Amino acid sequence: MNFEDKVVYQVYPKSFYDSNNDGIGDLNGITEKLDYIKYLGADYIWITPFFISPQRDNGYDVADYCNIDPAYGTMEDFDRLSAEAKKRGIGIMLDMVFNHTSTEHKWFKKALAGEKKFQDFYIFKKGEKGNPPTNWASKFGGNAWEYVEELESYYLHLFDKTQADLNWENPEVREEIYKVVKFWLDKGVNGFRFDVVNLISKPEKFENDYEGDGRRVYTDGPKIHEYLKGLNLNTFGQKNDIITVGEMSSTSMENCFKYSGKKENELSMVFNFHHLKVDYKNKDKWALQPFDFQELKDILNSWQIGMQEHDAWSALFWCNHDQPRVVSRFGDDKNYWKKSAKMLGTVIHMLRGTPYIYQGEEIGMTNAYFDNISQYRDVESINYHKILMNNGLSNEEAMKIVMERSRDNGRTPMQWSDEINGGFSKGTPWIESIKNYRDINVKNQIDDEYSILNYYRKLVALRKKYRVIALGKTIPLAEKDKNIYMFKREFKNEELLVINNFYGNSCEVDLDFDIEGFECILSNEDMNKKLDKNLRLEAYDSFVFYRKNKLGGLEYGRD
């Protein structure tokens, strides 16, 4: 399947659009907004989990993979959404959480009731209370093992204690997973995003990690490629039109060559998060520092080069439901909100890979800037606020960190209009709307030719128009420049030159190569810009130049 010119729009249904005014977004809300997604030009909608769940981790704690949580609607609502999306040429991608289930899942309940078969569905280890099998840390804080008195055993939970890790070593577990995927394929689903899927293969020996939090021991495990090949072979690989993406937690590039290699028969593409840790002080999410621009460039460039050399494919993104808003993070949402948002969009959409747009990113939604912990709903944020306070920080210091890092920054209601709650709901939203919704919303931008929204429409359209954007090779330029992120793309006789100023100051860059024949096809400032050997850029300037017929006809990328 050719997915190189496609763009995916991510919907977090709980916060997208509330059709029945109960304060929670729902499937019918997505259906009502399909024309908007079509207007943007996206080819697929990735919908985060809407399965039955106690919502301890906003749906990533699944209690039933094949039924819909009543908060989001019914199976009939899903069938209607799927049919209406198909009418508009939009595919549906589901988010499958197969590293763990909710402890409310019937499998885990049977395990707790003493059924050996279902205890083997999970990772239980005999032990004494107070002496867990390893010192691994949960990604949500605390130890990764929970003690069950009745069983005199611990179970593993790399995330919340209500999210018990599945035992993929057990072939019965794998067969059950295959059944789930086939169920949704039979419902006409066009793709899947697999949550933290590179964690499903656990180490042969469960050992303490005396250097870190355990992730170097349990990530990209010994049988991970075997398991993914099996998942492919037994489910979606039997069809030729299914798009798949794996969320790869703390992964290595070498493993991603296999995860998304064209000839590996695992996944279509991969998410990695290394570029979103460049503002972590000492690589600690909960310690702040200004983002390291040189490190950001080095990571983006090395992944571009590495993946293309191994014929592997990346999912490109700044934002999702777990990340702060990029315009607040790497842009300037106070002084250069519109311009920096457009520049950041240009970077992602002009690179080699498949761009993902997260709801609200295309209108420049910002971080929430909630200043009281009572305003937050995210379990990770609430846990770490306590941890930071216990570590001696004041409430003000802890809140400054949570304000920047919280996953709730990406989970506030989508801002549709200047009406109450940004037009998301006439009821009381499950989480507050951001105060700036009267200024930043779809209604204000949709008829504005120069809005962020219509700039994103252009980005999507350019990928479909120019094969060099979809298929071209990436060549990094000005790699050590302290202000500019610049690269070329080449495919056959087409060339693309992309130049971005990441800062709020003007600067100059020397272009020490042939620039004759390049024409500007996109800019967040001046479409009449002419290339000069000594090019001056103003704050957050972004330019895309194109030329044809200068190259010798070599082919790069996937054709």
Side-chain angles (χ1 to χ4, degrees), residues 117-159:
K117 172 182 174 177
F118 290 100
Q119 288 174 1
D120 288 341
F121 271 44
Y122 298 91
I123 300 171
F124 282 93
K125 299 287 183 184
K126 286 288 185 181
E128 296 179 4
K129 190 173 185 179
N131 186 26
T134 70
N135 64 352
W136 302 350
S138 160
K139 291 179 183 289
F140 289 171
N143 189 265
W145 297 91
E146 183 72 8
Y147 192 69
V148 180
E149 297 271 5
E150 296 79 7
L151 301 178
E152 297 181 343
S153 297
Y154 285 88
Y155 67 85
L156 179 66
H157 61 91
L158 294 180
F159 294 85

Side-chain angles (χ1 to χ4, degrees), residues 245-421:
V245 58
E247 180 194 29
M248 302 302 172
S249 173
S250 302
T251 191
S252 70
M253 196 187 306
E254 291 69 27
N255 274 294
C256 287
F257 298 157
K258 292 185 177 180
Y259 293 142
S260 65
K262 191 172 184 180
K263 298 178 181 178
E264 292 292 336
N265 296 317
E266 293 188 16
L267 302 171
S268 306
M269 64 192 77
V270 291
F271 287 117
N272 84 82
F273 297 86
H274 298 285
H275 65 299
L276 296 179
K277 298 179 181 179
V278 297
D279 54 355
Y280 290 8
K281 188 175 183 178
N282 299 321
K283 301 307 171 191
D284 177 1
K285 176 177 178 176
W286 300 96
L288 304 180
Q289 71 172 23
F291 79 94
D292 185 329
F293 179 52
Q294 187 61 54
E295 184 183 13
L296 177 63
K297 290 206 301 184
D298 291 345
I299 291 170
L300 291 175
N301 288 338
S302 64
W303 278 80
Q304 284 285 293
I305 299 302
M307 295 293 273
Q308 71 190 15
E309 286 180 350
H310 290 81
D311 204 10
W313 203 252
S314 292
L316 306 169
F317 73 107
W318 290 124
C319 301
N320 64 26
H321 59 288
D322 287 334
Q323 298 293 333
R325 292 290 184 175
V326 71
V327 70
S328 302
R329 188 176 191 177
F330 297 152
D332 182 344
D333 65 5
K334 304 291 191 299
N335 303 304
Y336 294 97
W337 163 69
K338 181 187 285 190
K339 200 172 179 187
S340 64
K342 290 180 179 180
M343 181 276 291
L344 290 161
T346 304
V347 171
I348 287 298
H349 284 257
M350 292 300 112
L351 287 169
R352 177 185 183 274
T354 298
Y356 283 64
I357 301 170
Y358 178 60
Q359 64 184 49
E361 176 188 346
E362 77 280 9
I363 59 169
M365 281 182 64
T366 68
N367 279 353
Y369 297 110
F370 295 152
D371 58 6
N372 191 303
I373 196 62
S374 66
Q375 295 172 281
Y376 291 83
R377 299 292 177 265
D378 173 36
V379 60
E380 181 190 40
S381 302
I382 294 167
N383 285 352
Y384 268 94
H385 179 259
K386 292 176 184 175
I387 291 169
L388 293 168
M389 296 273 286
N390 289 338
N391 288 344
L393 271 64
S394 68
N395 178 62
E396 184 179 355
E397 291 168 330
M399 282 309 306
K400 182 181 179 183
I401 295 171
V402 170
M403 207 180 294
E404 284 203 30
R405 294 287 192 251
S406 176
R407 300 189 301 178
D408 281 340
N409 283 312
R411 298 177 180 185
T412 56
M414 177 68 179
Q415 295 168 196
W416 295 103
S417 70
D418 57 4
E419 298 175 9
I420 188 169
N421 303 317

Side-chain angles (χ1 to χ4, degrees), residues 59-79:
Y60 284 86
D61 47 331
V62 179
D64 186 338
Y65 290 110
C66 296
N67 279 297
I68 291 169
D69 195 298
Y72 296 118
T74 65
M75 191 62 77
E76 289 72 25
D77 295 334
F78 174 80
D79 290 340

Side-chain angles (χ1 to χ4, degrees), residues 87-184:
K87 287 179 187 177
R88 292 162 176 81
I90 299 172
I92 300 290
M93 293 175 66
L94 297 191
D95 202 330
M96 310 310 295
V97 189
F98 291 149
N99 178 68
H100 47 263
T101 73
S102 166
T103 51
E104 293 298 309
H105 197 289
K106 63 182 180 182
W107 300 340
F108 194 79
K109 287 184 173 181
K110 289 180 178 181
L112 290 186
E115 292 191 39
K116 180 67 169 62
K117 172 182 174 177
F118 290 100
Q119 288 174 1
D120 288 341
F121 271 44
Y122 298 91
I123 300 171
F124 282 93
K125 299 287 183 184
K126 286 288 185 181
E128 296 179 4
K129 190 173 185 179
N131 186 26
T134 70
N135 64 352
W136 302 350
S138 160
K139 291 179 183 289
F140 289 171
N143 189 265
W145 297 91
E146 183 72 8
Y147 192 69
V148 180
E149 297 271 5
E150 296 79 7
L151 301 178
E152 297 181 343
S153 297
Y154 285 88
Y155 67 85
L156 179 66
H157 61 91
L158 294 180
F159 294 85
D160 189 68
K161 67 180 181 181
T162 63
Q163 295 166 289
D165 280 46
L166 285 165
N167 175 21
W168 274 70
E169 192 77 23
N170 183 347
E172 290 187 70
V173 169
R174 300 198 296 274
E175 286 298 326
E176 290 294 332
I177 295 301
Y178 300 160
K179 289 177 186 176
V180 172
V181 176
K182 288 175 182 176
F183 172 85
W184 289 108

